Amino acid sequence: MKRVLLKLSGEALAGEKKTGFDEVTCIGVARQVKQLVDDGIQVAIVTGGGNFWRGRTSETIDRTKADQIGMLATVMNCIYVSDIFRYVGMKTEVYTPFVCGAFTKLFSKDSALEALEEGKVIFFAGGTGHPYFSTDTGAVLRAIEIEADAMLLAKAIDGIYDSDPKKNPAAKKYNEVTIEEVIDRKLAAVDLTASILCLENRLPMLVFGLDADSSIVDTVNGNFTGTKVTV
């Protein structure tokens, strides 16, 4: 793989704290990504916002407004994580689909590809810029646009299961599954819109747990213990 998009869940960034940022976790991610960049691999990153906001759990706030808050949560995450990446020695750019003053750059494919070719790690914040689309869908969309070889999903659990392993101790983990099976069985690796985008554009996914040592580097180098979603 020469170019990947890494999707980091907000919960994974929070570590055991479950909310906000766990700096040790974020520095660990940054050091792993630096290994990839030093090996010549181009890396783009999307973060979720669940460490700050889960609007779908609220029954009092309008869905559009809740999703807008979620988009801003991902902007905060990307600005924070990108600066951690700079701390460990990388150059970064943060892109959003809407204007955020001087905080971010407005996304364009040409600008993003140019930054990747310069060896920068690029962050896509703000989702698609529209309500009713998850950060999963935003991540798949950006991965397709930048012609990534695969999307890596770093989650708080170590792969895709046939049921929620937090609720069902007997849940079965898949080592490999097709995107059609993910859709048909409603396995919830990513949401349905994102899954169909992967299917139509033949984008494979690698789903793994962020908390394992060197999990990102191992996944890219083929030492993979999560779930491979084939297309």
Side-chain angles (χ1 to χ4, degrees):
M1 289 186 282
K2 294 301 294 180
R3 179 182 297 158
V4 296
L5 187 141
L6 172 63
K7 166 75 190 309
L8 299 168
S9 75
E11 294 92 330
L13 292 174
E16 294 182 359
K17 294 164 57 178
K18 306 298 183 185
T19 186
F21 301 114
D22 181 74
E23 190 164 283
V24 172
T25 298
C26 295
I27 290 174
V29 169
R31 287 179 173 153
Q32 287 194 65
V33 172
K34 191 174 188 302
Q35 288 186 53
L36 301 180
V37 173
D38 289 346
D39 288 338
I41 295 170
Q42 298 176 355
V43 182
I45 292 178
V46 170
T47 69
N51 53 325
F52 284 114
W53 179 255
R54 283 201 167 277
R56 290 181 180 84
T57 62
S58 173
E59 297 179 358
T60 58
I61 298 176
D62 175 76
R63 171 67 185 271
T64 296
K65 300 302 181 186
D67 284 358
Q68 288 171 346
I69 296 169
M71 291 176 215
L72 293 175
T74 70
V75 175
M76 290 193 297
N77 278 349
C78 283
I79 291 173
Y80 176 87
V81 178
S82 71
D83 215 54
I84 294 290
F85 275 44
R86 293 180 185 182
Y87 168 76
V88 302
M90 288 174 282
K91 295 181 179 179
T92 65
E93 294 285 1
V94 180
Y95 292 95
T96 48
F98 42 78
V99 175
C100 286
F103 297 158
T104 67
K105 285 189 173 181
L106 192 62
F107 170 75
S108 80
K109 176 177 179 176
D110 290 345
S111 177
L113 291 179
E114 183 178 349
L116 286 171
E117 294 293 343
E118 292 172 353
K120 295 179 179 178
V121 177
I122 60 175
F123 290 78
F124 297 128
T128 67
H130 300 283
Y132 296 92
F133 292 97
S134 70
T135 51
D136 286 340
T137 300
V140 172
L141 176 64
R142 294 292 183 243
I144 293 165
E145 286 183 291
I146 65 170
E147 301 169 42
D149 297 315
M151 187 164 85
L152 316 182
L153 279 84
K155 291 179 169 284
I157 57 173
D158 63 348
I160 300 173
Y161 288 77
D162 60 358
S163 59
D164 188 345
K166 295 178 181 177
K167 298 178 180 177
N168 177 18
K172 174 190 171 185
K173 179 181 169 184
Y174 295 94
N175 293 322
E176 186 171 313
V177 65
T178 67
I179 190 64
E180 289 93 340
E181 289 175 296
V182 168
I183 294 168
D184 292 344
R185 298 178 186 177
K186 298 184 173 79
L187 294 178
V190 291
D191 64 44
L192 183 59
T193 304
S195 297
I196 291 172
L197 273 174
C198 286
L199 175 65
E200 291 178 341
N201 294 277
R202 302 192 61 78
L203 178 70
M205 293 186 290
L206 300 170
V207 185
F208 59 97
L210 183 60
D211 59 350
D213 291 339
S214 301
S215 58
I216 299 169
V217 172
D218 288 346
T219 295
V220 173
N221 290 335
N223 302 318
F224 181 57
T225 58
T227 303
K228 182 177 183 180
V229 181
T230 62
V231 292

